[in-house]
Amino acid sequence: RDDDGQARFEELIAQDSRVEPRDWMPEAYRKTLIRQISQHAHSEIIGMQPESNWISRAPSLKRKAILMAKVQDEAGHGLYLYSAAQTLGIGRDEMMQQLIEGKAKYSSIFNYTTPTWADMGAIGWLVDGAAICNQVPLCRASYGPYGRAMVRICKEESFHQRQGFEILLELMQGTDDQKRMAQDAVDRWYWPSLMMFGPPDDESPNSAQSMAWNIKRFSNDDLRQRFVGMLVPQAEVLGVTLPDPNLAWNEERQAYDISEIDWTEFHEVLAGRGPANAERLRRRREAHEEGAWVREAAAEYARKQAANAAA
Ligand code: ACO
């Protein structure tokens, strides 16, 4: 039976079709998806923190409403993704436990702090911009529930990216202090946003297999390059400078040359030593404990419903 399953699986991949939860799949494929989808879900949930930091201090009622909606969207993305991971046989409690015990990875980017309002602009423009660049191809991921979740997520990310761009645009048309604040935020978020795409291709252990399985469609470096190409004209419209003196169009390669990325910083953040890793996990644990009564109430409600149905 496994032989039949394997042949059918290989056929689905070769035809660029979708693998669905009930289909047979190799254990390594299942594991890879659980790894990537759960990390992605955790990123959405932890990613709520840097921005929720500004909800109470947003400069106007309208900005506050927009920011609240955006942070809620991230919670929703986390939920779609946890659900997609659950179809692979892992429980939500188990994933949550891995996160709060500090055993699970989530995106490096959310371990940076948000000291100014302009950070909301830079996160939307750069972080959500990078997220879209990486995630649009994931809409075609071979695993059905993941690809379908990504479609909706990308639509919402696209709104997030525009709202960030618009915050920066407004600041860049403001006072000198506001312009400085916008440029400072771009200076701080630019390199970390390039690191979001993951290690360089020759140091990316998972890429080859994930590409062969049609989970990833482009390499980390290719997506990073595409992202820089997207940013350059947008930075011009904004009037901000991308903080890389070596950024230049290379006619021969038909791509931008960029400076060497500081991979030591990336590895430090992954090892838990970024500017806000400890704070992010502490807050996540606290929220989990504070939510205990909701989980208990939901379980009790389910128990009563089941008892009523049986009666
Ligand atoms: N932050 C934290 N860990 C990272 C990052 C990052 N920016 N980039 C790579 N890594 C980790 C990988 O998870 C992997 O670790 P693991 O093997 O222990 O799981 C290791 O570094 C090596 O990297 P790769 O071999 O390149 O890993 P992979 O093929 O999974 O590619 C990538 C990494 C591009 C992030 C991929 O997992 C992906 O596309 N994920 C979905 C998108 C996502 O999670 N986005 C989250 C941020 S965007 C947002 O939430 C708004």
Side-chain angles (χ1 to χ4, degrees), residues 4 20 23 96 102 110 126 153 156 169 202 254 292 296 307:
D4 284 355
E20 295 297 338
D23 293 332
M96 198 44 74
F110 301 116
L126 296 171
I153 292 177
E156 293 177 351
L169 190 62
D202 52 5
Q254 288 292 301
E296 278 161 28

Side-chain angles (χ1 to χ4, degrees), residues 35 39 105-106 108 134 196 198 204-206 216 220 270:
R35 177 183 65 78
Q39 287 176 1
K105 283 203 175 81
Y106 58 85
S108 51
N134 160 269
M196 283 173 72
S204 163
N206 302 303
K216 279 171 103 157
N220 298 357
L270 256 62

Side-chain angles (χ1 to χ4, degrees), residues 48-63:
M48 294 166 73
Q49 292 186 36
E51 288 175 294
S52 63
N53 177 35
W54 276 92
I55 289 176
S56 63
R57 292 175 290 158
S60 70
L61 181 61
K62 187 176 138 208
R63 290 291 182 200

Side-chain angles (χ1 to χ4, degrees), residues 3-238:
D3 285 352
D4 284 355
Q6 177 86 38
R8 167 95 185 111
F9 172 82
E10 275 162 19
E11 196 181 305
L12 284 176
I13 298 294
Q15 292 168 342
D16 208 352
S17 301
R18 288 216 135 134
V19 177
E20 295 297 338
R22 288 200 182 83
D23 293 332
W24 184 92
M25 60 187 86
E27 222 20 58
Y29 177 80
R30 184 188 301 277
K31 280 213 179 97
T32 284
L33 283 164
I34 290 179
R35 177 183 65 78
Q36 177 164 330
I37 302 172
S38 65
Q39 287 176 1
H40 194 166
H42 296 327
S43 305
E44 302 282 357
I45 296 299
I46 295 284
M48 294 166 73
Q49 292 186 36
E51 288 175 294
S52 63
N53 177 35
W54 276 92
I55 289 176
S56 63
R57 292 175 290 158
S60 70
L61 181 61
K62 187 176 138 208
R63 290 291 182 200
K64 190 181 184 118
I66 295 171
L67 190 59
M68 275 171 73
K70 184 200 185 252
V71 172
Q72 283 175 355
D73 284 351
E74 307 296 354
H77 297 175
L79 298 183
Y80 315 151
L81 289 164
Y82 283 127
S83 300
Q86 281 173 281
T87 65
L88 291 156
I90 185 167
R92 183 149 338 166
D93 290 351
E94 192 181 341
M95 287 185 272
M96 198 44 74
Q97 206 54 36
Q98 290 168 351
L99 177 62
I100 61 184
E101 284 173 7
K103 290 182 185 153
K105 283 203 175 81
Y106 58 85
S107 183
S108 51
I109 195 74
F110 301 116
N111 294 304
Y112 292 85
T113 58
T114 46
T116 74
W117 170 251
D119 290 320
M120 300 304 99
I123 290 184
W125 182 44
L126 296 171
V127 177
D128 295 312
I132 296 171
C133 213
N134 160 269
Q135 292 172 22
V136 164
L138 291 174
C139 297
R140 294 189 290 122
S142 55
Y143 188 57
Y146 190 35
R148 287 189 288 274
M150 291 318 304
V151 172
R152 186 154 167 195
I153 292 177
C154 284
K155 285 187 184 156
E156 293 177 351
E157 292 293 2
S158 147
F159 150 71
H160 298 170
Q161 194 263 356
R162 281 165 209 206
Q163 69 86 40
F165 183 87
E166 204 256 340
I167 290 175
L168 290 179
L169 190 62
E170 190 162 316
L171 289 173
M172 289 305 291
Q173 288 164 357
T175 63
D176 285 348
D177 278 349
Q178 286 172 321
K179 286 181 196 160
R180 262 195 298 276
M181 184 165 80
Q183 181 63 53
D184 167 66
V186 170
D187 289 348
R188 284 181 290 107
W189 290 92
Y190 178 72
W191 290 108
S193 75
L194 294 192
M195 294 175 197
M196 283 173 72
F197 294 91
D201 292 350
D202 52 5
E203 289 167 36
S204 163
N206 302 303
S207 276
Q209 183 60 74
S210 289
M211 286 174 77
W213 277 329
N214 297 340
I215 298 170
K216 279 171 103 157
R217 299 286 178 162
F218 299 97
S219 77
N220 298 357
D221 285 331
D222 282 351
L223 289 174
R224 192 167 9 248
Q225 188 70 53
R226 181 181 291 197
F227 179 57
V228 172
M230 249 173 58
L231 290 182
V232 171
Q234 294 179 3
E236 269 170 34
V237 174
L238 285 172

